[in-house]
Amino acid sequence: APGTNGTTTLNPDQWDGYAPARQRLFRHLADNYIANNVVLTGDIHSAWCNDLAFNPWDSANYNPAAGTGVLGVEFVTPAISSPGPIPDPAQAVPTAAALRATSPHMKYVDLYRRGYVLVDADQDRVQGEVWHVPTVDAPSAGEAFSAGFVSTVDDNALSPPTGSSPARAAAEPP
């Protein structure tokens, strides 16, 4: 829950429900100096962009502004056709804001819109962009950019991108 500094399990089938396994993975990455880690995931019907740190509420070991203490980054894609976990924006928006306000490692959270994450990676960086679609009830060519973050090689942390990913080829209308 917001404000519990990670001591409450919000969803036992996510990172917080697998704390010992997560800590073993993070310890392996740290002990073996494995950097430039990117986690791509989904199936929670919401969009997230996060720094991955042992304890993101411990300011002695994680500094979101400086990017210290970050073992990798995570891009969680929203569902393209399933509703979000909080389908009412009047409830989803303040809940996401509360999560962001109390969780320094969460750079972006959207709990109700449908869409996808576009990942653009090369040898120097990985950039993730969250795109949302206006409806899944009828064919639509519309989509809206919601957020973008980049992690450069040997930096590990998420930062705002300096520009957009290269232009995508025009798709055939639905």
Side-chain angles (χ1 to χ4, degrees), residues 28-169:
H28 177 77
L29 296 174
D31 289 350
N32 292 284
Y33 306 100
I34 301 171
N36 305 315
N37 301 294
V38 179
V39 174
L40 305 174
T41 191
D43 200 28
I44 60 171
H45 303 209
S46 50
W48 306 69
C49 299
N50 303 316
D51 284 341
L52 299 176
F54 277 107
N55 180 351
W57 295 276
D58 178 3
S59 60
N61 293 307
Y62 170 66
N63 181 333
T68 56
V70 181
L71 297 165
V73 300
E74 176 181 36
F75 296 103
V76 181
T77 190
I80 194 70
S81 60
S82 299
I86 305 178
D88 180 3
Q91 295 174 351
V93 171
T95 301
L99 285 167
R100 283 268 304 111
T102 58
S103 304
H105 61 300
M106 294 179 185
K107 307 300 183 183
Y108 178 81
V109 179
D110 187 289
L111 300 171
Y112 74 97
R113 292 184 286 179
R114 296 175 174 126
Y116 61 94
V117 171
L118 173 70
V119 176
D120 180 35
D122 62 26
Q123 67 273 12
D124 298 320
R125 56 107 182 102
V126 62
Q127 183 163 322
E129 298 177 353
V130 180
W131 290 81
H132 287 110
V133 296
T135 181
V136 296
D137 296 329
S140 170
E143 59 184 10
F145 173 81
S146 292
F149 293 93
V150 65
S151 179
T152 58
V153 77
D154 296 331
D155 181 25
N156 276 340
L158 290 176
S159 303
T162 56
S164 61
S165 292
R168 292 176 284 161

